[in-house]
Each structure stands twice: as structure tokens, then as C-alpha cells.
């Protein structure tokens, strides 16, 4: 409904103070099929940044995710082929698609201006697929325990047309 039933992605972000004792963040991208034969949840340009709280003019760290836009690896032209996703542990038919007419998602569909070549997608023939990264932030432990660091999560999330298939980004501390 947020997409007004058109194919594309919307930017979503959240910020949370890191709880004392946090040494790992499990970052997860979930795609859920609600209807039809394909899991049409899509995402691109994901981020997880650790920063001072309140924020400084310059963040402490850059994006901690490996392959945050799915640009590494071949990508699927049609969306029917499940390709490996470097940097991510995947389940279901989670894969990356290549923007273009064959995939049905064009770079000018609503979404990021710098979308690159690939995007994350739920994949064929599964109702739930996921990709995770376990991020080690042990080196920032003293700052976290002092209550001075926050986690900024963001990404372009969406799906196809009026399908209710969706993407979401939970993080576990």
C-alpha cells in the first residue's frame, strides 16, 4: 500500500541505541511471499552504520555490510535462477536480480538514484527467504557499554505491483 500498488522500492530507516553488552549484530533481510508463485519482495542499497549518539557531523564508521547492494556476483537475468549472494548467508531461494527488461524491474522504477546493476529479491517458488550477516563489533565494546553509540539501519524496500509480498530488515543485538 505504501508503494500505491506500483513496482518499486521506498527508503526505510531506523535508529536504535546499542544495548550495553552488545558485541555482535545479526543483520537480516527477510522476503515474504503473500500471494502468487514468486516471492516478489525486493531491496537495494542496504546499510548498517554505527555512530555517536547524539550524532556527530561525521559518522564514526562507514557501512558495515558486505555487498550491501548485491553488486558482487552474477545476478539472475530472469529472476528464475537462484544465484549465490557473496557476503550473505541465505535461505530459501534468496538471490539477486539484474535490473532491466528481462527481470521486469528497471533502474527508473521508484527507488534509489544510485541503484547499480543488481538488487536483492525473494526468488522463485518459496514463501520465505532470508539473507543474514553476523557483524562483529567487539572492538567498540567500551563505547557501547558507556551508552554512547547508536545503530542506524536503512535500505530501499519494496515489491511488485499490487502484490503484498514484502521485505523487512530486522537487526538483533
Amino acid at each position: 500500500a505504501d508503494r500505491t500498488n506500483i513496482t518499486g522500492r521506498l527508503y526505510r530507516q531506523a535508529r536504535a541505541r546499542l544495548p550495553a553488552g552488545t558485541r555482535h549484530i545479526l543483520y537480516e533481510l527477510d522476503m515474504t511471499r503473500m500471494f502468487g508463485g514468486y516471492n516478489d519482495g525486493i531491496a537495494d542499497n542496504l546499510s548498517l552504520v554505527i555512530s555517536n549518539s547524539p550524532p556527530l557531523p561525521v559518522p564514526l564508521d562507514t557501512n558495515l555490510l558486505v555487498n550491501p547492494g548485491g553488486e558482487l556476483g552474477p545476478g539472475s537475468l530472469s529472476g528464475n535462477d537462484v544465484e549465490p549472494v557473496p557476503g550473505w548467508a541465505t535461505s530459501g531461494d534468496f538471490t539477486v536480480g539484474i535490473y532491466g527488461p528481462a527481470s521486469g524491474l528497471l533502474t527508473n522504477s521508484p527507488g534509489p538514484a544510485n541503484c547499480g546493476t543488481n538488487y536483492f529479491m525473494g526468488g522463485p517458488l518459496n514463501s520465505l527467504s532470508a539473507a543474514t550477516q553476523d557483524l562483529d563489533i567487539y572492538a567498540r565494546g567500551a563505547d557501547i557499554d558507556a551508552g554512547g553509540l547508536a545503530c542506524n539501519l536503512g535500505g530501499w524496500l519494496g515489491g511488485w505491483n499490487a502484490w503484498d509480498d514484502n521485505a523487512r530488515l530486522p537487526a538483533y543485538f
Side-chain angles (χ1 to χ4, degrees), residues 17-105:
R17 184 174 302 277
L18 289 168
T22 300
R23 298 301 181 264
H24 288 267
I25 300 173
L26 182 64
Y27 185 93
E28 187 171 298
L29 173 58
D30 295 331
M31 308 284 196
T32 304
R33 180 185 75 210
M34 304 302 287
F35 183 79
Y38 285 85
N39 184 335
D40 292 321
I42 56 176
D44 202 355
N45 291 18
L46 308 176
S47 67
L48 185 143
V49 176
I50 304 298
S51 64
N52 279 5
S53 182
L56 295 173
V58 177
L60 292 175
D61 297 315
T62 58
N63 192 350
L64 298 179
L65 297 176
V66 175
N67 195 16
E71 298 301 316
L72 304 176
S76 172
L77 254 175
S78 66
N80 292 322
D81 302 318
V82 177
E83 300 290 349
V85 185
W88 295 85
T90 62
S91 64
D93 289 335
F94 189 95
T95 190
V96 279
I98 299 172
Y99 285 106
S103 70
L105 185 63

Side-chain angles (χ1 to χ4, degrees), residues 136-159:
D136 182 346
I137 55 171
Y138 186 83
R140 304 305 306 266
D143 294 328
I144 293 167
D145 293 346
L149 294 183
C151 177
N152 301 294
L153 303 167
W156 290 84
L157 309 175

Side-chain angles (χ1 to χ4, degrees), residues 99-167:
Y99 285 106
S103 70
L105 185 63
L106 304 176
T107 55
N108 65 352
S109 299
N114 58 339
C115 59
T117 303
N118 295 339
Y119 61 94
F120 298 106
M121 60 183 291
L125 307 175
N126 62 304
S127 60
L128 176 65
S129 58
T132 60
Q133 288 188 32
D134 187 3
L135 305 169
D136 182 346
I137 55 171
Y138 186 83
R140 304 305 306 266
D143 294 328
I144 293 167
D145 293 346
L149 294 183
C151 177
N152 301 294
L153 303 167
W156 290 84
L157 309 175
W160 258 261
N161 299 320
W163 303 101
D164 288 331
D165 298 359
N166 60 72

